Amino acid sequence: MSTLRKTAAQWLWIAGLLLPVTLASAESGPQRRPPLFPPGEQIAVGGSRTESQIGRTQDARAVVRGVVDAFGHGSFDLIVAPDRIYPFRRFDEHGAPVYEAPRTIDASGLGGLVTSHDGIVYGLRTSGGRIELLEFDRSALKFQPRAISDELKLPGGLSGALAGRLDANGRLDVYFGVHNSEGYHHPEIHHHRFEYVPFDGAGFWRGGLPRAALYHARFESTSLKKLASLGRAGAGSPEFLFDLRGMAILPGPESRQLSLITSEKLGVFRRFPLDPATGAPAKSEFVNGPDQVAVRHPVINPGIATFADPQSGRRAFIVSDTGRVWFYEATQQDGRIVCGEPLPVRAPTSAIALGALPVISPGDLDGDGRIDFLAGNDAGQLLFVKNIGEPDRPEFDEPVPVDVDGEPLDIKAGYRGSIQGPGEAMWGYTCPTVVDWNGDGKLDVILNSILADYMVLLQRPGSGPPRFTKPRPMYCDGLQLHLAWRSQPAICRWEHGGRLGMVCLDEQNLLRQFWRIDNQNVERGELLRFQDGSPINANVDEGAGQTGRAKLVPTDWDGDGALDLLVGTSRGLSIAASGTTFYPSSFGDTRQASVLLLRNAGTNAAPVFEYARMVEFNGERIRLGTHSCSPQLIDLGRGVRDILVAEESGGIRYFPAEGLAISKAAP
């Protein structure tokens, strides 16, 4: 082995830092400590914390559907579809509810709740074009079928979110959304094809903007046998752009004042005052923030529940989104509902909740000698996950927003920022890579996102949690660096003391090297290639929104001194594993987001790569979710490199070195 390759095997330059690495080989076996976390499972919030934010996990979604009095502590127990109920424990110092560990509940398909005057709790769900009423069995923690309506004569399909109320005469009012028939994608060509053009020459979306309208049905009783009235609640353009995600009834300060609160796909909250006699909704108005501007939940697809404390008179919303659960206190000012800033809703400590589709990058971000993580997510945020453990026994705190020029980062696609259209206006898909980009000894961030515009955030001097400058655009040949979207770049020094290189998916979705010139400028370099000379394409059979998405990590997997590439894929990617096999797409219906290895069969000075292989754990390929996974191969203090993978649901799974291997070469 050459001197260069021996040096690289002993000291691996990753993210601009010189990090000592002991490779996961047989000769390092005696130095190994036991696995740091349960193998194959998500890492829990560590330290002395006894409570953490409720979030989506690998085995549970987090869609709030309502509150009930299931355990005799008031109507604050939280139902999270499809199968969890959180018993209420207390209110914290900010007034947000804190819950016990969840219990299993049968709430499949639940769209909303109704509470009767005698305390019976009913659930609502749709069955085709029918409304189904369920009754909550507190002892069995199950919603039992009670009644189902006839087929409703409606112009479109029903939304999954419903709400209802029983009046003093036992009549049941049910509220739901009905979708119009407008299609979203332009019909000329499939939206995953390379030829698909999402926006026209004037910059407008070529497809449609579907909407949903609010409907109101009144039944004479809970038997649902007799329909007293059915119709649209308003007129003109349907109220909800794209989709209706949540509905709940909010009591007013006076007993007869009821409001229907709704949440829609892009995060907007609306209030519909209800006529106490007919149950009919009046014209909608926005729910405002303290600044009297309409509130927009910062994450797409919010579900909503409401509660009122009869003792204090406090009213509130509990809101779920794609990854976590939040609390908004609601007040009434000048006849309008006003809510405060979102606060986390907590329960006994469980898996770290990063929001959906997290992308992680490790490094000692606060200078305390321990490896932390920076994480992006679907909401376009940047979160700091501090290592609060010991150097050889890491533990990770709850994620907190990173200070970027004095405020949290919030990247959103807006109308034109997503190549999949304005329906993704509230997504951000931040993909950070931690690196000392300017050579000052502090870790900076190179950031890609839904916008596909590469940016740099330089870390400011100081101690404590990292703080960054505002994002600054990166350039190549004087033009803003705009490459494949939603992919994480691999940044490393291929040779000791050499120039920083950045491996990205370029405009053709091919792996290409870029070289640092200064803080904001890079030079376009050569394509990376397989041993047969062909370029490395991340998706050979689909285009448009299925391009990009790969998460790239430089690492010396096999200890030969040549840097390899670890790749986190989505389900839809297809990277060549042979001349006829592509991972993970060749697995057909069983394909999922996967971790691949591109082994460097050349040198760091002249890298060439073998065809892709699957990374396996305990003899089976690592496969997680649909849209994304973000791997890191790293020594966290036990003398070998384990794999951590941020997965679609929002957690980080742990795969210890003992079970890791790569698959055989594909035929």
Side-chain angles (χ1 to χ4, degrees), residues 6-266:
K6 288 180 180 177
T7 301
Q10 297 166 1
W11 298 97
L12 182 60
W13 282 85
I14 296 179
L17 293 178
L18 195 62
L19 297 177
V21 171
T22 302
L23 299 170
S25 62
E27 64 188 51
S28 62
Q31 302 173 18
R32 295 181 184 176
R33 298 172 183 270
L36 300 168
F37 309 101
E41 300 298 318
Q42 288 184 335
I43 297 173
V45 174
S48 60
R49 289 189 182 274
T50 59
E51 297 162 349
S52 61
Q53 186 171 12
I54 296 173
R56 184 180 171 189
T57 66
Q58 65 193 54
D59 61 352
R61 295 176 62 205
V63 182
V64 302
R65 284 308 191 201
V67 292
V68 298
D69 184 0
F71 305 103
H73 301 124
S75 295
F76 307 125
D77 303 321
L78 180 64
I79 293 179
V80 176
D83 58 2
R84 302 292 169 99
I85 183 168
Y86 286 82
F88 173 75
R89 174 186 288 180
R90 60 181 173 85
F91 292 108
D92 68 14
E93 66 273 20
H94 304 294
V98 179
Y99 290 97
E100 303 284 356
R103 302 187 189 182
T104 301
I105 185 173
D106 185 353
S108 178
L110 190 70
L113 299 180
V114 183
T115 302
S116 69
H117 298 287
D118 56 3
I120 298 175
V121 175
Y122 298 101
L124 294 166
R125 69 184 177 195
T126 61
S127 178
R130 303 168 185 265
I131 302 293
E132 188 172 3
L133 190 71
L134 315 165
E135 185 171 336
F136 181 53
D137 183 338
R138 287 178 170 85
S139 61
L141 294 181
K142 185 175 183 179
F143 282 89
Q144 305 280 6
R146 163 98 179 236
I148 188 168
S149 75
D150 293 331
E151 187 88 13
L152 301 179
K153 295 180 179 180
L154 299 168
L158 280 70
S159 67
L162 302 98
R165 66 137 199 170
L166 279 163
D167 73 3
N169 298 312
R171 291 173 294 200
L172 176 64
D173 292 303
V174 181
Y175 308 93
F176 50 91
V178 174
H179 298 286
N180 66 12
S181 59
E182 185 165 9
Y184 180 57
H185 295 104
H186 196 276
E188 288 182 1
I189 189 168
H190 193 275
H191 59 280
H192 285 176
R193 301 309 305 157
F194 290 98
E195 302 84 4
Y196 182 65
V197 179
F199 295 90
D200 67 19
F204 293 106
W205 175 241
R206 297 176 68 233
L209 299 179
R211 305 185 74 96
L214 178 63
Y215 273 68
H216 168 220
R218 168 164 277 197
F219 296 92
E220 290 293 347
S221 72
T222 56
S223 71
L224 305 186
K225 294 296 184 184
K226 186 174 181 181
L227 182 64
S229 62
L230 170 66
R232 190 180 160 192
S237 179
E239 292 85 354
F240 310 108
L241 184 61
F242 297 114
D243 198 9
L244 177 62
R245 306 298 296 188
M247 306 178 75
I249 304 294
L250 180 69
E254 304 296 331
S255 60
R256 288 172 58 83
Q257 294 178 341
L258 293 176
S259 298
L260 175 68
I261 306 297
T262 64
S263 60
E264 55 199 83
K265 182 180 179 71
L266 297 186

